[in-house]
Amino acid sequence: MPVPTTGPPAGDADELLPAGAGQASRLARALPGLVRWPNLAIMLLSLVLVRVLLMPGQPLSTVLLAPRFGLLVLAALLVAAAGYIINDYYDVKIDAINRPARLVVGRLLRRRHAMLAHVVLSGVGVVLATALSWRLGAVTVGAALLLWGYSARFKRLPLVGNVSIATLTGALILLPALLPLATPEGRLKAVWLYALAAFLLTAVREIVKDLEDMRGDAQHGCYTLPLVWGVVRSKWVAGFFLLCLGVLVLGVAGQLLAWGRWPLAAWLLGLVLLPMGWLAGLLLRADRRRHFRQLSAWCKGIMLAGVLSMLLV
């Protein structure tokens, strides 16, 4: 079997990129997509809601304008943006097959410039986090290294890449808890529950994305879960994570009903658990690339609904 590549595409095709004002303008328009601005927006919303709603104790204006929290958010977003850039750096050839319309690195941005942007953004993020506390600095360094390892190697291995990104997503929810705050024990439990839910749903979406990208992955020596275990078994693995998430949501909703927390319980049942059931049905029937693209969009919608449920905590 061919050994999966862990380096950037061979050759210096980026040296042939055209220069000029038109090229710069197209690159400027493409940069938000390169750093996945919708994902960064969801990350920002998650951090704000966790800090404001799950870890209360100060007025809203004081929390949002606090320099320490602002630096934490900026550090997290910078490292995440750097992770998206290095991911595209290593996936030029694969993305040319799977997502040709979204290709930026190698088409509009030279690979060496992409690597430089990754190093600078990651470095600034780590420095900002370390300035807040050594624990945040250590977590941020670990996240940056894991994102690099994911892009270079882990995403080409069955389940390893999926679990890596799911772990980082769950860790994002826990970041505000690393700031020195006086938070009730019950609130910290809620933060951990949201982090676990984020881990499980992200694992589902990452497997779905591997199912969607099988053609490009297969042509470039990747050993993703669908290519090693097959489509049917991969769908069952995704279904297992989805089932675990369903049990978690159902258990939390039942406890909320017992406590008389009807609004939040109704939100979880109607806007999270019910769409998850629909997602499970779509997953069982999916057998085309467009089906898996639709499943990925459903996962994003469910994740957004879960994040917004913090408004009712």
Side-chain angles (χ1 to χ4, degrees), residues 122-171:
S122 295
V124 173
V126 168
V127 169
L128 291 177
T130 305
L132 293 172
S133 75
W134 69 268
R135 289 189 303 173
L136 281 171
V139 170
T140 307
V141 169
L145 291 175
L146 187 56
L147 283 170
W148 176 81
Y150 167 81
S151 300
R153 177 72 178 179
F154 300 155
K155 68 180 298 180
R156 294 166 172 81
L157 301 175
L159 206 57
V160 176
N162 311 126
V163 173
S164 297
I165 294 300
T167 301
L168 288 172
T169 305

Side-chain angles (χ1 to χ4, degrees), residues 252-294:
V252 170
Q255 186 64 63
L256 290 170
L257 289 173
W259 291 340
R261 302 285 302 277
W262 293 89
L264 180 54
W267 182 289
L268 293 177
L269 292 174
L271 297 180
V272 177
L273 190 62
L274 188 60
M276 283 172 52
W278 184 260
L279 176 67
L282 292 177
L283 180 62
L284 287 175
R285 298 190 298 270
D287 58 2
R288 297 287 187 274
R289 191 167 187 266
R290 59 184 176 85
H291 296 160
F292 297 118
R293 188 181 302 117
Q294 182 184 14

Side-chain angles (χ1 to χ4, degrees), residues 204-221:
V204 174
R205 182 171 180 267
E206 288 299 311
I207 295 173
V208 167
K209 284 172 58 182
D210 283 348
L211 288 164
E212 179 186 350
D213 295 341
M214 284 181 63
R215 189 179 66 159
D217 292 343
Q219 291 188 24
H220 292 284

